[in-house]
Amino acid sequence: MSIRPMVNRDSAYFWEGAALGELRIQRCNACGALRHPPGPACPGCGALDRGHLVASGLGTVFSYVVHRHPPIPGKELPLVIALIDLDEGVRMVGEVSGVEPEEMAIGMRLRVDFARVDDELTLPFWRRV
Ligand code: ZN
């Protein structure tokens, strides 16, 4: 048992990409603006025509929290959750693995990795570069 993300029409491209080992960022097909989290319309130009690009998978810690309580089903605590500035210029929330809470630092470079949960779900997470 683990926490399952909401997969809907606006975010399906993201989870399909994760299953392939791709970190996808939504891109407006009209003006080229990148955005995350995904949505139906471009906040810049209002266009509904959207696609995505595959990110490099590299980013920098903008901020982070250490989750020690309450328990989360399927998760070992403490859990490090970071707000990550991707090199492409969008900000994403992600779980950081393999870094002790006291080692975490703003500005740390991270690289995405993927954990296959089951046939339908693969979750991105982040490791120190
Ligand atoms: Zn646009």
Side-chain angles (χ1 to χ4, degrees):
M1 181 62 199
S2 63
I3 293 173
R4 301 189 75 90
M6 279 269 293
V7 179
N8 59 34
R9 209 165 56 109
D10 288 335
S11 66
Y13 77 97
F14 183 86
W15 301 109
E16 289 164 8
L20 299 171
E22 294 180 351
L23 186 71
R24 294 179 174 178
I25 304 173
Q26 196 169 55
R27 178 171 54 190
C28 174
N29 283 339
C31 74
L34 300 175
R35 61 185 190 266
H36 191 86
C42 175
C45 74
L48 298 171
D49 183 10
R50 57 197 193 268
H52 67 264
L53 63 72
V54 177
S56 65
L58 289 166
T60 302
V61 176
F62 173 77
S63 68
Y64 64 92
V65 295
V66 178
H67 183 96
R68 299 179 189 277
H69 195 82
I72 301 173
K75 292 288 185 188
E76 268 184 46
L77 300 184
L79 193 63
V80 179
I81 303 294
L83 206 49
I84 302 149
D85 281 336
L86 302 193
D87 287 3
E88 287 78 9
V90 299
R91 195 165 280 169
M92 208 174 264
V93 176
E95 181 181 337
V96 180
S97 177
V99 181
E100 295 300 318
E102 50 275 15
E103 293 175 356
M104 275 302 294
I106 289 166
M108 180 183 285
R109 292 286 286 164
L110 300 175
R111 182 192 304 275
V112 77
D113 202 346
F114 296 90
R116 188 176 176 279
V117 177
D118 57 35
D119 284 347
E120 291 172 359
L121 182 64
T122 298
L123 290 173
F125 66 97
W126 296 80
R127 296 181 189 277
R128 194 175 197 164
V129 172

